[in-house]
Amino acid sequence: MRKKRLPWRRVIPLSLLLFVYSFSFAQSRTISGKITDATDGTGIPGVSIQVKGTKTGATTGNDGSFSMTVPGSATTLVISSVGYTTREIPVGSGSFNVTLVKSSATSLNDVVVIGYGTVKQKDLTGSVATVTSKDFQQGAAITSADELIAGKLAGVSVTSNGGQPGAAATVRIRGLSSLNGNNDPLYVIDGVPMQSLKNPDGTSTIPGVADPLSMINPNDIESETVLKDASAAAIYGSRASSGVILITTKKGRSGAPKFNFNTQVGASVIAKEESVLSTDQLKAYVNANGTPAQIAEMGGANTNWQNEIYQTGIISNSNISMSGGLNGMKGIMNSLPYYVSLGYLDQAGILKTDNLQRTTASIRLNPSFFDNYLKIDINANGSHTNTRFANQAAIGAAVSMAPTQPIYEKGSPFGGYFEWTANGSDTIPNNNATRNPVALLNQYNSTSIANRLFGNVEIDYKIHFLPDLHVNLNLGLDESKGQGNVNVPADAAQQWGTTTNHGQNYQYMGTNHNTVLEFKLNYLKDIPDIKSNINAIAGYGYYNNLGTTYNYAQFDSKGDTIPGTAPLYPTTIQENTMISYFGRLIYSYDDKYILTASLRTDGSSRFPSTNRFGVFPAVAVAWKLNEESFMKNSTTFSTLKVRASYGVTGN
């Protein structure tokens, strides 16, 4: 029987098909694996895996896993992540696991948070600096986010306003930007611009709270990034004239639950007492230079008034957190990382009767869906504070009060405390004399309770048919309420009015309601054919601030209204809305030349419709000299960059 031979018209296509298949297979292959922390073995999300010398790359999911197609010619993978030492490994094939070790220094490949996005450290064109949790200031007395970066950044000054618990610090970025405007920076927490911390008169925006920033638990903060110059901050427009501080909070990672508990106990003491005359020195001077009447006024006590008003302030600060991740459903939810924390602070001031108690709670959920095409970040923070404010007038009185006078006087009509009286009377205090410092503290009871709830939901969707384009929606809310009461008894000399109006009793209350809506498109594209990278955003922002102050009359100890304190209106309502449009383009050519250009327009309801919008442009360029051929082999510089920038911000 004759063998049947395949005709050429069938053999040639089959051979060609085998050749094409073999050629394609040689050109690319799929690899997968998992990147884990060398310390605890948990998966690391957001790790960059890049084929060395190309723009081909991928990032890990929330559980640290990845899958990618690499060219057949690829030999080395570069694996990098913020806070970890970069590794280079052979490509290999199939599946493999890689561990990363936490780095001790900032890498040029680290991703830095900037306004409405991120960029690699080496690609920055503006003046931006970051401090992470491992480099924060430490100690039980750290009660506010701004204290974490004190002394850590050039050009950023953080100055304490005193030893009062919860007192606001003064933060200045590259000095003053206005002679009579607000010089405080804008704070952005997890991408949400927060309301101003101070009113135009310098008081706190939350009644009964010295520093609204102190209502955020510093232990929940992962990093703080400061946008110093105008080109970096201009993306925030009218609120960025004094710089911007971006606060990123801690988030969970996939893996088994991990608990962290820490408690700190500290003490605060006055650094130095004011130098004053001792009892003997004062007596000697008055005996030598005083009149008989003045000599007769000297008492026989030996009182150190500064010792009587100051104390050792004990601080206890305890925090517990749990982080980890839950496994998702295949094809729907990849994983559900979570972070939950509770904190309690009890701080006594160095001035007696000063005390702050703060309870905080936070929860963060960061699920991802549909192979990381959809990511949702949910952040919620709550805080409750109880505060007693000491009478600060006692500080000056302790320096001025004669040490020859006693603290208490038997039969005194002023609650048993010694007070200077007017000539010819033992029951009317002398309004020209110094008040008893101890009485100023003990007969003054000012307390407040404040609650704050803030957070946001951020939804990021990577379009399936155009994965280089991200659609992002950010919804933020900040609610606060503060109320308090000030009470001075009738027999206190410090609140002595007419012959009938003695003492003081009044209350105060205020609420704030702030909403944020931001929508943006983010396009990120590598174009290897022309050695270019494009990172562009375009967005819209809506910001509404509503503050209500409740007005109350002040009463004396008998319940009578103190003249001149009756309010005209029961409430004072202030509301303003701002609408913004913003965009930015970051263009990189040949990994050497970088152009950043941004534009923002802000329109405020505080201004008439004919002149409501302000425009804030910025442009910056950078040239990475160390990437040039004549610098490639230099070991002198890890990086050498020439930058120039221009920007406009508002006030």
Side-chain angles (χ1 to χ4, degrees):
M1 186 173 69
R2 295 179 61 186
K3 294 183 179 179
K4 189 174 181 180
R5 301 173 66 181
L6 292 173
W8 283 104
R9 59 187 174 87
R10 293 182 181 178
V11 173
I12 292 175
L14 180 60
S15 301
L16 180 60
L17 179 62
L18 292 173
F19 173 77
V20 171
Y21 177 80
S22 301
F23 179 80
S24 299
F25 181 80
Q27 287 299 304
S28 63
R29 60 187 185 275
T30 300
I31 62 174
S32 62
K34 188 173 184 179
I35 312 299
T36 58
D37 189 304
T39 303
D40 54 23
T42 59
I44 308 174
V47 177
S48 170
I49 301 101
Q50 190 170 18
V51 178
K52 188 174 183 178
T54 73
K55 298 294 184 179
T56 302
T59 57
T60 60
N62 289 319
D63 62 349
S65 61
F66 73 94
S67 178
M68 61 185 293
T69 301
V70 299
S73 59
T75 59
T76 305
L77 291 178
V78 179
I79 302 177
S80 60
S81 181
V82 177
Y84 291 88
T85 301
T86 300
R87 288 190 61 182
E88 293 187 6
I89 63 172
V91 173
S93 61
S95 180
F96 56 92
N97 294 325
V98 178
T99 59
L100 294 183
V101 178
K102 289 184 178 179
S103 61
S104 58
T106 302
S107 168
L108 294 175
N109 288 318
D110 281 354
V111 175
V112 178
V113 177
I114 58 176
Y116 301 104
T118 59
V119 69
K120 286 186 177 180
Q121 176 83 19
K122 64 179 181 179
D123 294 335
L124 286 172
T125 56
S127 182
V128 179
T130 298
V131 181
T132 60
S133 56
K134 61 185 177 66
D135 295 319
F136 283 157
Q137 291 283 6
Q138 302 295 322
I142 302 297
T143 61
S144 183
D146 43 25
E147 297 172 348
L148 294 172
I149 59 174
K152 294 292 184 178
L153 297 171
V156 180
S157 170
V158 181
T159 306
S160 173
N161 288 342
Q164 189 175 27
T170 298
V171 180
R172 296 292 178 260
I173 300 175
R174 292 187 171 180
L176 300 177
S177 60
S178 173
L179 293 177
N180 56 6
N182 190 348
N183 285 287
D184 293 330
L186 170 69
Y187 290 89
V188 181
I189 302 177
D190 289 327
V192 179
M194 307 303 288
Q195 67 171 2
S196 176
L197 302 182
K198 294 180 181 179
N199 294 310
D201 61 359
T203 59
S204 170
T205 53
I206 302 179
V209 177
D211 178 17
L213 200 61
S214 69
M215 299 188 77
I216 303 170
N217 189 349
N219 288 274
D220 290 335
I221 297 176
E222 180 65 32
S223 67
E224 294 191 36
T225 299
V226 181
L227 310 183
K228 300 180 183 179
D229 67 351
S231 68
I235 193 69
Y236 288 104
S238 60
R239 295 171 292 177
S241 62
S242 299
V244 182
I245 297 181
L246 308 176
I247 297 177
T248 303
T249 58
K250 295 177 181 178
K251 293 176 173 57
R253 290 179 176 174
S254 297
K258 184 167 64 173
F259 294 87
N260 182 47
F261 174 76
N262 68 79
T263 184
Q264 296 173 306
V265 177
S268 298
V269 296
I270 185 171
K272 182 182 179 182
E273 291 185 357
E274 193 71 24
S275 178
V276 296
L277 294 178
S278 67
T279 301
D280 292 338
Q281 289 172 329
L282 179 63
K283 284 184 175 181
Y285 181 84
V286 175
N287 287 330
N289 301 281
T291 65
Q294 292 171 335
I295 295 174
E297 289 286 348
M298 287 193 298
N302 182 15
T303 306
N304 186 325
W305 291 105
Q306 294 184 81
N307 283 349
E308 296 298 330
I309 67 168
Y310 293 123
Q311 65 180 358
T312 298
I314 302 299
I315 310 163
S316 64
N317 193 355
S318 299
N319 296 272
I320 185 171
S321 64
M322 179 181 68
S323 62
L326 302 176
N327 295 326
M329 299 173 61
K330 188 174 182 180
I332 301 178
M333 183 174 72
N334 297 11
S335 62
L336 178 58
Y338 59 84
Y339 175 88
V340 181
S341 74
L342 290 172
Y344 178 74
L345 169 74
D346 188 345
Q347 181 180 10
I350 58 175
L351 188 62
K352 291 179 179 179
T353 71
D354 251 339
N355 182 261
L356 168 67
Q357 296 177 341
R358 181 188 68 196
T359 303
T360 59
S362 65
I363 181 171
R364 323 211 191 288
L365 303 175
N366 312 105
S368 61
F369 304 86
F370 313 121
D371 296 326
N372 292 326
Y373 274 86
L374 175 64
K375 296 182 179 180
I376 300 177
D377 292 339
I378 302 172
N379 305 303
N381 306 269
S383 61
H384 172 81
T385 63
N386 284 281
T387 309
R388 180 174 178 183
F389 301 97
N391 190 343
Q392 301 288 309
I395 298 175
V399 176
S400 304
M401 192 69 172
T404 58
Q405 303 303 330
I407 301 173
Y408 305 100
E409 184 178 53
K410 187 176 181 180
S412 168
F414 310 110
Y417 292 96
F418 168 83
E419 295 287 358
W420 294 107
T421 57
N423 293 332
S425 173
D426 293 331
T427 59
I428 299 177
N430 187 339
N431 289 329
N432 294 320
T434 303
R435 292 286 184 258
N436 186 318
V438 177
L440 287 173
L441 292 177
N442 295 339
Q443 292 182 306
Y444 179 84
N445 188 20
S446 174
T447 58
S448 76
I449 296 175
N451 297 295
R452 189 179 190 185
L453 174 66
F454 67 94
N456 69 303
V457 176
E458 185 174 5
I459 303 171
D460 186 90
Y461 175 60
K462 181 170 62 175
I463 299 177
H464 277 72
F465 59 85
L466 189 59
D468 298 316
L469 180 64
H470 288 244
V471 179
N472 185 280
L473 176 65
N474 192 10
L475 302 173
L477 176 69
D478 186 2
E479 294 269 4
S480 62
K481 178 181 179 180
Q483 57 186 338
N485 182 270
V486 177
N487 183 272
V488 178
D491 57 1
Q494 61 185 281
Q495 192 62 39
W496 199 274
T498 64
T499 56
T500 57
N501 293 107
H502 303 323
Q504 188 179 42
N505 184 14
Y506 69 91
Q507 61 178 322
Y508 56 86
M509 185 171 71
T511 61
N512 292 290
H513 177 84
N514 303 285
T515 54
V516 174
L517 184 152
E518 291 181 330
F519 176 81
K520 70 176 187 286
L521 300 174
N522 184 200
Y523 182 74
L524 180 62
K525 180 69 173 178
D526 279 319
I527 312 176
D529 293 342
I530 57 174
K531 303 179 181 180
S532 298
N533 176 271
I534 295 175
N535 185 346
I537 65 168
Y540 164 85
Y542 170 87
Y543 315 90
N544 181 263
N545 303 313
L546 173 63
T548 302
T549 301
Y550 295 83
N551 303 317
Y552 301 100
Q554 297 185 21
F555 304 94
D556 62 18
S557 59
K558 295 189 298 183
D560 295 332
T561 301
I562 296 178
T565 66
L568 297 177
Y569 304 99
T571 60
T572 301
I573 299 176
Q574 293 183 329
E575 183 177 14
N576 64 84
T577 300
M578 187 173 75
I579 293 177
S580 304
Y581 303 91
F582 55 88
R584 181 179 61 216
L585 170 66
I586 303 176
Y587 174 73
S588 175
Y589 176 73
D590 200 21
D591 201 29
K592 301 177 186 177
Y593 316 105
I594 307 167
L595 168 68
T596 301
S598 68
L599 181 67
R600 184 179 182 113
T601 61
D602 285 338
S604 174
S605 61
R606 290 177 170 142
F607 299 98
S609 57
T610 55
N611 188 25
R612 181 162 288 176
F613 282 86
V615 180
F616 306 93
V619 63
V621 293
W623 175 22
K624 293 191 282 188
L625 287 171
N626 59 297
E627 295 294 334
E628 296 290 354
S629 57
F630 59 85
M631 290 286 292
K632 276 285 188 181
N633 298 323
S634 173
T635 59
T636 305
F637 304 101
S638 59
T639 182
L640 182 62
K641 186 191 300 180
V642 176
R643 296 189 293 116
S645 65
Y646 169 83
V648 176
T649 57
N651 194 310

